Amino acid sequence: MTSTAAATAKVLADAGVERVFGLPGGEVLVLMDELRRAGVDFVLMRHEANAGIAAAVYGKLRRQPGVVLTTLGPGAANLMLPMSNACLDCEPLLAISAQIPDDFPASHTHQLLPLHETYRPIARYVEKITGANVLDVVPQALARCMERPFGVSYLTLSAREALKPAADGAARVVAATPPSTAGAREHAAALADALRSSKRPLVVIGLGIDAANAAAIRRWLTEWNLPVAVTPKVKGIVDETADSFVGVAGGMAADGVVCGAIAAADVVVGFGLDPVEIDKTWHADRPIHWVLESPNACGVVPAGAALVSHRALLDALVGERPPAAWTEPFREFQDARKRMLADRTTSPGTMWPGDIVEALASVMPRDTIVTTDVGSHKYLFGQYWPSREPETFWMSNGLSGMAYGLSAAIGARLARPDAPVLAAVGDGGFSMNAQELETAQRVGAPFVTVVLEDGSYSLIKISQAGKKLPPYRTEFGPIDTVKMAEACGVAGLRTSNPDELASAARQAVADRRSLVIAVPVNDADYPRLF
Ligand SMILES: Cc1ncc(C[n+]2csc(CCOP(=O)(O)OP(=O)(O)O)c2C)c(N)n1
């Protein structure tokens, strides 16, 4: 007899899932053990929210759903953040938790939460695993996460059901539907037409592009010499050091400049553009030539947009003569964007935030995966980190939820064991989940963390000032970042010298070990960049 837990584990293993992230309770121990027996590693983390974030990043990089496993009640409740994040940031996540068995007495309310009802609005597939349906619902849950835009499936399995016999037979095969190629030539012709009469076109690439199309879109943009902007979550889809790169759209640093460029464009091509990443409303206020191959986050399809395969469309565009010639139509905006970073101030004992980016960018290898947390530092790195390769930049931007940076770094490092990883976080976010540094050590996922220390939730403090409110409860007392790192078994140092920062990061990457570098910054410096 195969138990339902064993059948669940086998479906996951057969689907290529090599790791499940999580934090256990008594009710999932049988499933965990079946996963072990099926050869699926359990990455034990120190908070379910962190496990879910690490799993989603790991999954997206591995082109499969990330899987997170928690106990019932409190463990399942801790999944709200990563499930919300995966939903709005379009990361493929299968969450599995235990639940109280259906046949428990009605008076048994201990740890009983309405989990399906809670998560149904953000998960596109919610089911209870039973012995009878396990070979159907687990494959379906995996497949639904991978339907674009990627998203969340949620399954529960009670400890009692886990032990019951599973139905005999083979797991259901569910194939993902590829994007439609119908009308690709007509769409390509319509796009060429729109660009033919344009003096200042701007292609804005967003979350809806598949990284597998990076080479094709680079080729088309280069052949036609088109100016391009990206949203933060697809940083690296084009080389940001190229002359045609205008900036990062979506509320990062220098957003006034980038929004100015968008307003100055006479044709905006939204190539996979998803407004879930944009904190302003220009996407609704001005016409956009949408080029989408799947709905945007939450299934939204903008009015007037038709869905067509990007690959088929690019195949039709590549090799065609550009319909017009454009010579640096956004030069003034590109220069203004760069000037803001260079326009430094000096505050004793601190580093100009721009120098942190430049020092690290000068030493980190081209394939480095950068993760950020949420706050002023995210705006800084989101705009100014010079990404060069696809899938090398990870932030929470649809949800914009703190506590992403370190967890994402663990997921990324496990998914790409050969790529250096750099996590850039604020001291507020760092104190939310610094304990995962121990996880990183234990599971063999070393990375460099730079903590921008300003003693405040600076982005919120800046927002207070913007509303003409006095600073109130947005500053906190010091926690020694270096000692926190050391307490987790990771070396740490503090510096306000860019050269020391660069050489310490370079050495840690060469030695393939974790290092936490605390860099004092003055939170009053950030508004100069915004
Ligand atoms: C989970 C969560 N809680 C609160 C917020 C609101 N928030 C956005 S940025 C920010 C400040 C972050 O501070 P820190 O990590 O120190 O980064 P800094 O802004 O100083 O760079 C806060 C509280 C959020 N986005 N996510």
Side-chain angles (χ1 to χ4, degrees):
M1 173 209 99
T2 303
S3 71
T4 304
T8 303
K10 182 168 183 331
V11 174
L12 295 177
D14 289 352
V17 173
E18 290 176 0
R19 290 189 172 92
V20 165
F21 297 72
L23 194 162
E27 292 76 5
V28 293
L29 292 177
V30 171
L31 177 55
M32 267 175 73
D33 199 57
E34 291 297 350
L35 287 167
R36 178 184 65 78
R37 289 152 65 106
V40 180
D41 188 26
F42 188 80
V43 181
L44 175 67
M45 297 195 58
R46 289 173 172 270
H47 195 293
E48 292 85 351
N50 302 333
I53 288 167
V57 171
Y58 175 84
K60 192 164 180 188
L61 278 166
R62 303 267 302 205
R63 313 239 191 289
Q64 62 179 193
V67 184
V68 59
L69 176 62
T70 75
T71 190
L72 75 186
N78 272 347
L79 286 174
M80 182 52 94
L81 183 81
M83 286 171 71
S84 309
N85 194 83
C87 172
L88 291 183
D89 280 76
C90 303
E91 291 171 357
L93 180 66
L94 167 57
I96 307 176
S97 2
Q99 178 56 302
I100 301 289
D102 287 344
D103 53 1
F104 264 32
S107 53
H108 184 96
T109 47
H110 177 65
Q111 294 194 312
L112 179 63
L113 290 173
L115 296 175
H116 285 200
E117 293 79 355
T118 302
Y119 289 128
R120 196 164 275 122
I122 51 173
R124 58 182 57 165
Y125 185 80
V126 176
E127 273 298 342
K128 177 169 55 185
I129 304 175
T130 65
N133 72 14
V134 57
L135 299 178
D136 181 41
V137 303
V138 181
Q140 282 215 61
L142 286 165
R144 292 294 307 277
C145 303
M146 294 307 289
E147 267 170 26
R148 301 191 45 224
F150 297 147
V152 186
S153 292
Y154 181 57
L155 297 174
T156 51
L157 174 62
S158 77
R160 212 173 252 193
E161 195 69 26
L163 295 169
K164 290 188 183 161
D168 287 332
R172 177 180 166 148
V173 178
V174 195
T177 323
S180 164
T181 55
R185 296 216 146 268
E186 292 76 2
H187 277 87
L191 180 52
D193 263 356
L195 293 173
R196 187 164 294 117
S197 50
S198 166
K199 298 270 171 291
R200 234 183 193 184
L202 182 61
V203 179
V204 187
I205 309 177
L207 188 47
I209 191 161
D210 185 339
N213 288 325
I217 196 159
R218 283 176 177 219
R219 194 170 154 203
W220 170 59
L221 292 168
T222 307
E223 283 180 3
W224 287 28
N225 192 29
L226 278 161
V228 60
V230 299
T231 60
K233 285 193 74 80
V234 289
K235 276 173 70 67
I237 194 89
V238 297
D239 181 350
E240 296 178 13
T241 62
D243 283 347
S244 55
F245 184 67
V246 174
V248 178
M252 300 295 106
D255 201 45
V257 175
V258 178
C259 285
I262 291 166
D266 55 9
V267 173
V268 174
V269 178
F271 210 108
L273 179 65
D274 190 333
V276 77
E277 279 207 76
I278 298 163
D279 63 347
K280 306 193 173 56
T281 54
W282 56 257
H283 52 84
D285 299 341
R286 57 158 310 151
I288 292 179
H289 188 104
W290 295 100
V291 184
L292 305 180
E293 64 175 0
S294 55
N296 283 332
C298 310
V300 174
V301 179
L307 305 182
V308 62
S309 153
H310 282 162
R311 177 55 64 91
L313 184 92
L314 288 165
D315 283 350
L317 291 167
V318 161
E320 292 294 320
R321 279 180 17 159
W326 306 281
T327 318
E328 302 194 329
F330 293 98
R331 178 53 56 205
E332 70 204 85
F333 297 97
Q334 292 168 292
D335 291 346
R337 172 179 174 271
K338 286 185 185 151
R339 263 199 314 276
M340 285 180 82
L341 193 67
D343 183 20
R344 59 168 52 73
T345 56
T346 44
S347 321
T350 69
M351 206 185 293
W352 166 245
D355 287 347
I356 301 174
V357 173
E358 289 190 337
L360 291 167
S362 71
V363 291
M364 297 303 281
R366 186 186 170 114
D367 61 341
T368 299
I369 295 180
V370 175
T371 70
T372 74
D373 214 76
V374 173
S376 299
H377 65 282
K378 162 177 135 168
Y379 288 10
L380 169 74
F381 276 79
Q383 185 61 261
Y384 288 114
W385 181 263
S387 300
R388 305 194 70 182
E389 298 294 339
E391 297 184 303
T392 56
F393 197 93
W394 294 77
M395 68 161 63
S396 170
N397 203 38
L399 181 70
S400 291
M402 289 171 71
Y404 184 88
L406 285 192
S407 310
I410 291 174
R413 193 66 164 92
L414 289 174
R416 295 273 166 88
D418 294 327
V421 174
L422 169 69
V425 303
D427 45 0
F430 183 68
S431 64
M432 275 187 171
N433 62 1
Q435 71 277 15
E436 299 295 357
L437 290 170
E438 185 281 326
T439 306
Q441 290 293 84
R442 178 169 29 87
V443 304
F447 56 89
V448 176
T449 306
V450 57
V451 183
L452 287 81
E453 288 186 332
D454 52 20
S456 72
Y457 295 115
S458 77
L459 190 63
I460 308 306
K461 194 172 150 189
I462 293 164
S463 173
Q464 254 171 350
K467 295 180 197 311
K468 309 242 177 301
L469 297 167
Y472 178 68
R473 305 283 195 256
T474 44
E475 293 172 345
F476 40 74
I479 299 180
D480 191 324
T481 302
V482 174
K483 283 193 182 146
M484 270 176 97
E486 288 168 353
C488 296
V490 172
L493 68 93
R494 176 171 290 99
T495 182
S496 53
N497 177 318
D499 294 337
E500 195 182 351
L501 168 64
S503 71
R506 185 202 289 119
Q507 197 56 52
V509 169
D511 297 346
R512 297 173 70 89
R513 64 182 172 83
S514 283
L515 176 66
V516 173
I517 312 171
V519 181
V521 293
N522 179 357
D523 57 19
D525 283 347
Y526 282 123
R528 297 169 65 89
L529 288 161
F530 297 165

